[in-house]
């Protein structure tokens, strides 16, 4: 805009100075000044329009670049957050799975071990009663006497006591005699 004003002022000054001579030359000068002024004004207007277009284009390009940069930053941030959330979720899931597996393993390991140990202890106690009264064994570790073959006058009777992990065999010589522990298997 300043250039335009300067050019117009310069033309007005040239026109004013050109009028100082004879009339003929001042008419020629005035005509020439008017032509020069018109050409200069048109050129100046074109320059101003061109500069405005360039400025507008530059602003648009800067805005596009800024928008692209913001979008890229947002995408990176979103990707980073998503990646962090996935890692956190995976770590939590893995920790929960490991804890559940460990607890299950401990429970599985402890339960059979305890049951096996208890069964072995009871079996050892039962072996200590071989040759003794079956009801004394039942009194010590529990259980029920199951008669398999009842005692008759001519044959002995057989009975079993069932426990977890082992069985105790008992015999009776006569119907009135006690049940005696004969084997543990």
């Amino acid at each position: 805009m300043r250039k335009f004003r300067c050019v117009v002022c310069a033309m007005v000054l040239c026109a004013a100075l050109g009028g100082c001579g004879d009339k003929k030359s001042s008419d020629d000068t005035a005509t020439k000044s008017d032509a020069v002024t018109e050409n200069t004004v048109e050129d100046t207007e074109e320059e101003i329009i061109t500069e405005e277009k360039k400025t507008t284009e530059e602003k648009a390009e800067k805005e596009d670049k800024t928008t692209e940069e913001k979008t890229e930053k947002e995408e990176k941030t979103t990707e980073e957050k998503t990646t962090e959330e996935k890692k956190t979720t995976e770590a939590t899931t893995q920790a929960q799975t490991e804890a559940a597996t460990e607890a299950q393993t401990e429970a599985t390991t402890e339960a059979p071990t305890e049951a096996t140990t208890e069964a072995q202890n009871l079996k050892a106690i039962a072996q200590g009663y071989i040759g003794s009264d079956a009801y004394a064994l039942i009194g010590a570790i529990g259980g029920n006497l199951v008669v398999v073959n009842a005692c008759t006058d001519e044959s002995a009777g057989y009975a079993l006591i069932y426990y977890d992990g082992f069985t105790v065999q008992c015999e009776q010589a006569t119907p009135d005699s006690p049940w005696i522990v004969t084997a543990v298997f």
Side-chain angles (χ1 to χ4, degrees):
M1 200 62 178
R2 286 183 179 174
K3 288 182 181 181
F4 179 71
R5 287 182 191 168
C6 291
V7 170
V8 171
C9 288
M11 286 194 230
V12 171
L13 184 61
C14 287
L17 292 176
C20 291
D22 62 7
K23 196 169 192 183
K24 186 177 181 184
S25 95
S26 96
D27 287 338
D28 290 338
T29 306
T31 306
K32 288 180 184 176
S33 292
D34 289 340
V36 169
T37 303
E38 286 178 13
N39 288 339
T40 307
V41 170
E42 288 177 4
D43 290 342
T44 305
E45 287 176 355
E46 287 179 11
E47 288 176 8
I48 291 172
I49 292 171
T50 304
E51 286 181 26
E52 287 177 355
K53 285 182 182 178
K54 286 180 183 178
T55 306
T56 305
E57 289 175 359
E58 289 174 357
K59 286 181 182 178
E61 287 178 11
K62 287 181 182 178
E63 288 176 3
D64 288 344
K65 287 180 182 177
T66 305
T67 305
E68 287 176 8
E69 290 174 357
K70 286 181 182 178
T71 304
E72 288 176 3
K73 287 180 182 177
E74 289 174 359
E75 288 175 357
K76 286 180 182 177
T77 304
T78 304
E79 287 176 10
E80 290 173 356
K81 286 181 182 177
T82 305
T83 304
E84 288 179 22
E85 289 174 358
K86 285 181 182 177
K87 288 179 181 177
T88 304
T89 303
E90 289 174 0
T92 304
T93 304
Q94 184 178 2
Q96 290 173 348
T97 303
E98 288 175 359
T101 303
E102 185 176 316
Q104 184 178 9
T105 302
E106 287 178 8
T108 305
T109 304
E110 290 176 9
T113 304
E114 290 175 9
T116 304
T117 303
E118 185 178 340
Q120 290 173 349
N121 290 340
L122 293 176
K123 187 175 182 179
I125 292 170
Q127 287 174 342
Y129 279 87
I130 294 177
S132 300
D133 188 354
Y135 287 107
L137 174 64
I138 292 172
I141 62 173
N144 292 321
L145 186 72
V146 178
V147 177
V148 177
N149 184 17
C151 184
T152 61
D153 289 338
E154 301 162 1
S155 66
Y158 293 100
L160 298 173
I161 305 173
Y162 296 102
Y163 296 99
D164 282 339
F166 67 97
T167 304
V168 175
Q169 178 182 325
C170 303
E171 289 184 18
Q172 185 180 34
T174 63
D176 295 331
S177 62
W179 290 97
I180 304 298
V181 176
T182 57
V184 177
F185 50 94

